[in-house]
Amino acid sequence: MKTVDVDLGEDAYPILIGGSSLPEVGEFVEERLGRIDGAVITDETVDRLYGDKLAGALEVAGHDFERVIVEPGEESKSPENAKELYEKLVELELHRDSFVIAFGGGVVGDLAGFVGSTFLRGVPVIQVPTTLLAQVDSSVGGKTAVNLADGKNLVGTFYQPELVLIDPTVLNTLDPADVRSGLGEVLKYGLIWDEELFREINKNQALFEEFDEPAELERVIARCCEIKAEIVTEDEKDRGIRRILNFGHTLGHGIEAGAGYGEMKHGEAVIWGMIGESWISSQRGYLSREARKEIVGILTGFDLPPLPLGLTEDKLLGYLRQDKKSRREAINSVLIRGIGGETTVEEVKDAELVGAWNYLKELGVEEE
Ligand code: NAD
């Protein structure tokens, strides 16, 4: 079992990473919070696959809890669902010391985290992430959210969990596109922070195909959590360095929206986005041509889904402006100066974004 500490003073918490650690969740919760009652919020798919296992672990440790199940998918991250969950928690007579366990991917993590952070002004939240994306990214750092019709993640809180427990063996049942989506975030950590990690992932892509004996993968997940923890510790509220975690996300959001939400996974769009933003970095002379070529070669080797080639430049820019982060300001992007090297967040011009989009389209067409 590996432990990564998120060193946030009063809000500090551990991330525990271990293959087949799910049956021990009850004990970890007891160690951290005592023997208490609460609710497990999960989605139908995760409940069907692993609900009994988690429930068994909590029962053995003597916790009193109910399972609350939402439908899988982004639509569940809604204020309407949050309200239903509040009502359910009232019905279960949860109190301020009761736990909420978020058991699922990023959708469940964001929704249950949001509900847990606001119900009774905040109850202890435990994240048990079950997708690669959630294990390396969304369960760590305390961002919670629900979506509005106007856009994703428009309502949310910063609220740190009490504990994050990661069992990589559950990734065995994950759809390959969801694995690739998580991989996008792993590659991002490599590109913005850790050259060795980036090269290791490239050399050892098999790490993400077989999850029964995940010692190596545990190390990679722990490294990602360590990087995120370090960045979040420095900038919990996303006003400075935390923004570098958005590498690939500016263009990525536009491509994801252009494909139609649900058609391309978030992290897959981020991989395309990182290629485009590397291109902008090299056009500005920040990133050498050789480094850019190497990055593009590696990232396009990950069996990416096709780009939405019908997406016009105007539509792409429209999507980027709709993004809440750029609605009242210029469009910003993370630019890199090498693999795992220096990064900056800078305003980018429409012409640069269009140039990057055209570059991607050429790559996409060549690939087919
Ligand atoms: P998701 O939660 O929708 O999970 C993807 C699919 O995998 C779902 O159908 C789910 O039921 C299924 N699933 C989950 N675990 C499984 C398992 N072990 N085996 C088989 N199927 C499984 O999607 P996601 O990619 O995990 O998360 C995306 C969400 O995360 C988005 O809403 C995004 O906004 C959010 N996010 C939040 C942060 C943050 O910092 N809070 C960061 C990045 C992304």
Side-chain angles (χ1 to χ4, degrees):
M1 182 73 78
K2 294 190 165 43
T3 305
V4 173
D5 290 308
V6 186
D7 202 2
L8 281 166
E10 269 188 4
D11 293 328
Y13 57 96
I15 305 166
L16 309 179
I17 304 133
S20 304
S21 56
L22 205 53
E24 295 168 58
V25 171
E27 288 161 44
F28 292 126
V29 172
E30 188 180 356
E31 254 170 52
R32 183 85 181 148
L33 301 174
R35 187 171 301 174
I36 55 168
D37 59 353
V40 175
I41 300 179
T42 186
D43 74 23
E44 278 160 13
T45 307
V46 176
D47 186 63
R48 179 170 43 76
L49 292 166
Y50 303 106
D52 289 345
K53 210 173 196 174
L54 181 76
L58 292 169
E59 273 157 20
V60 165
H63 302 290
D64 181 17
F65 65 94
E66 290 279 338
R67 297 193 219 179
V68 186
I69 300 163
V70 300
E71 280 177 29
E74 191 66 35
E75 295 74 39
S76 282
K77 248 178 73 175
S78 67
E80 294 75 19
N81 244 339
K83 179 169 174 279
E84 275 185 30
L85 290 172
Y86 294 138
E87 286 163 359
K88 187 74 194 163
L89 301 189
V90 170
E91 194 186 308
L92 296 175
E93 298 183 354
L94 257 58
H95 48 92
R96 289 197 64 183
D97 294 326
S98 306
F99 62 70
V100 163
I101 295 183
F103 184 42
V107 164
V108 164
D110 278 10
L111 172 68
F114 177 71
V115 167
S117 72
T118 44
F119 183 66
L120 303 179
R121 299 204 175 86
V123 296
V125 171
I126 292 159
Q127 292 279 352
V128 185
T130 63
T131 61
L132 182 59
L133 180 135
Q135 295 189 344
V136 297
D137 187 3
S138 60
S139 66
V140 176
K143 276 193 190 176
T144 81
V146 290
N147 304 325
L148 299 182
D150 275 339
K152 274 186 63 164
N153 301 329
L154 288 184
V155 177
T157 55
F158 286 100
Y159 188 77
Q160 300 299 333
E162 288 289 329
L163 172 70
V164 181
L165 190 104
I166 298 174
D167 181 347
T169 60
V170 301
L171 302 178
N172 247 324
T173 46
L174 204 57
D175 189 272
D178 284 307
V179 174
R180 214 160 32 237
S181 182
L183 193 56
E185 302 292 351
V186 177
L187 290 162
K188 177 193 76 183
Y189 288 121
L191 284 171
I192 60 168
W193 203 264
D194 185 340
E195 180 173 2
E196 209 180 301
L197 175 70
F198 184 71
R199 297 197 187 287
E200 183 183 351
I201 306 304
N202 178 40
K203 269 202 220 115
N204 199 357
Q205 296 190 16
L207 266 183
F208 298 93
E209 285 161 15
E210 173 56 66
F211 304 103
D212 283 329
E213 298 285 339
E216 287 296 289
L217 183 63
E218 268 173 38
R219 209 173 35 72
V220 168
I221 292 174
R223 180 66 190 131
C224 294
C225 290
E226 224 171 66
I227 295 170
K228 180 133 186 204
E230 200 175 329
I231 292 172
V232 167
T233 304
E234 221 174 292
D235 174 29
E236 186 185 356
K237 299 282 162 67
D238 208 6
R239 304 217 177 268
I241 191 173
R242 190 167 178 169
R243 293 190 298 162
I244 70 170
L245 291 169
N246 288 331
F247 180 50
H249 285 61
T250 300
L251 274 166
H253 277 311
I255 292 167
E256 191 180 1
Y261 282 110
E263 291 303 310
M264 194 186 284
K265 299 280 174 185
H266 172 76
E268 293 179 315
V270 167
I271 300 181
W272 279 121
M274 290 192 291
I275 298 174
E277 290 170 25
S278 297
W279 181 85
I280 298 176
S281 304
S282 82
Q283 288 300 106
R284 286 204 182 181
Y286 297 170
L287 183 70
S288 70
R289 228 179 111 78
E290 295 68 40
R292 192 241 300 163
K293 274 179 98 173
E294 187 183 1
I295 292 169
V296 173
I298 290 176
L299 295 185
T300 49
F302 280 97
D303 196 17
L304 297 177
L307 287 166
L309 294 175
L311 178 63
T312 61
E313 293 168 4
D314 285 349
K315 265 201 168 154
L316 174 77
L317 293 172
Y319 286 131
L320 299 185
R321 294 233 148 67
Q322 255 174 35
D323 187 337
K324 70 173 190 302
K325 290 164 197 128
S326 51
R327 200 167 275 180
R328 283 172 146 260
E329 47 189 78
I331 298 175
N332 288 320
S333 171
V334 180
L335 301 175
I336 58 174
R337 289 173 191 264
I339 299 176
E342 200 187 319
T343 51
T344 46
V345 182
E346 293 180 31
E347 181 179 337
V348 284
K349 297 202 168 62
D350 287 2
E352 291 178 296
L353 292 160
V354 167
W357 175 234
N358 287 328
Y359 172 74
L360 289 181
K361 282 201 293 190
E362 273 168 36
L363 274 181
V365 170
E366 270 170 28
E367 277 223 312
E368 276 169 8

